[in-house]
Amino acid sequence: MRITACRQAHFNCAHRLHNKQWSDEKNKDIYGLCNNPHYHGHNYKLIVKINGEIDPESGYVIDMKVLADIIKKEVEDRYDHKNLNLDCPEFADVVPTAENIAVMISNNLKPYLKKDQTMDIVLYETERNFVELNHITL
Ligand code: NI
C-alpha cells in the first residue's frame, strides 16, 4: 500500500531578485520591489511529501524523526537566517525566486529518497504565493 508522509518546516531568509545578465532598468521592471538592492526577507513554509510503500516492519513510509533531521540539515541549516544571494554559493548566479529555491531544496533532499519513493515539495513564500515541485525521484 502506498501512502504519503508529509512534514512541514519553516525558515526565514533574505534575498534579492536580480539577474546579472540584465540591465538595472530591466531588473527593476521585471522584479519591482523584489529587486530592492538592500534585500528583503520572507518567512518560508516548506512542505515535503514522501510517497512510498509502507514498510511492513516499521509501519512507516519514512521515520518522521529521520525526515525532520534531513530537512534540518539540508534546508534549515543551509538557508535559515541567511542572505541567499550572499551566503549561499548555489545562488551566486541563480536568481533566488521561490521556484529556484524549491529546485535547490529538491536537489538537496532527493539523494535521501529510496528507489521506489517519490517526493513532492510545496514552498510558500507568502501565505498566498507558493510553488510546487512534483514527482521528484532519486
Ligand atoms: Ni522576495
Side-chain angles (χ1 to χ4, degrees):
M1 167 81 76
R2 291 187 75 87
I3 197 163
T4 305
C6 307
R7 171 87 187 174
Q8 191 171 302
H10 297 91
F11 57 98
N12 308 321
C13 49
H15 73 167
R16 180 193 188 201
L17 303 187
H18 183 86
N19 186 328
K20 292 173 186 170
Q21 314 298 321
W22 295 346
S23 66
D24 286 352
E25 262 178 19
K26 183 169 180 183
N27 271 293
K28 220 172 181 181
D29 191 39
I30 301 287
Y31 293 131
L33 287 175
C34 296
N35 183 240
N36 173 21
H38 296 143
Y39 305 92
H40 65 276
H42 294 282
N43 302 320
Y44 290 92
K45 179 170 92 177
L46 171 69
I47 302 169
V48 178
K49 304 178 182 182
I50 308 292
N51 181 269
E53 290 288 337
I54 300 176
D55 181 287
E57 282 181 48
S58 67
Y60 290 157
V61 171
I62 182 169
D63 184 328
M64 282 296 180
K65 174 75 171 71
V66 170
L67 181 56
D69 288 346
I70 292 168
I71 292 171
K72 181 178 184 309
K73 179 172 177 238
E74 301 295 347
V75 180
E76 293 164 30
D77 290 355
R78 283 172 188 261
Y79 303 137
D80 191 35
H81 286 70
K82 299 285 174 64
N83 179 313
L84 296 179
N85 304 70
L86 301 181
D87 296 327
C88 304
E90 60 266 52
F91 292 109
D93 295 307
V94 173
V95 183
T97 56
E99 289 86 336
N100 283 333
I101 299 168
V103 170
M104 292 301 177
I105 290 171
S106 165
N107 291 340
N108 298 343
L109 296 181
K110 73 179 172 189
Y112 295 92
L113 288 172
K114 291 185 181 146
K115 256 188 269 169
D116 68 329
Q117 291 177 337
T118 64
M119 178 172 64
D120 297 316
I121 285 174
V122 186
L123 182 67
Y124 283 79
E125 193 166 68
T126 70
E127 246 176 71
R128 294 178 186 182
N129 298 342
F130 58 96
V131 296
E132 290 193 10
L133 249 183
N134 298 119
H135 216 80
I136 300 149
T137 54
L138 185 59

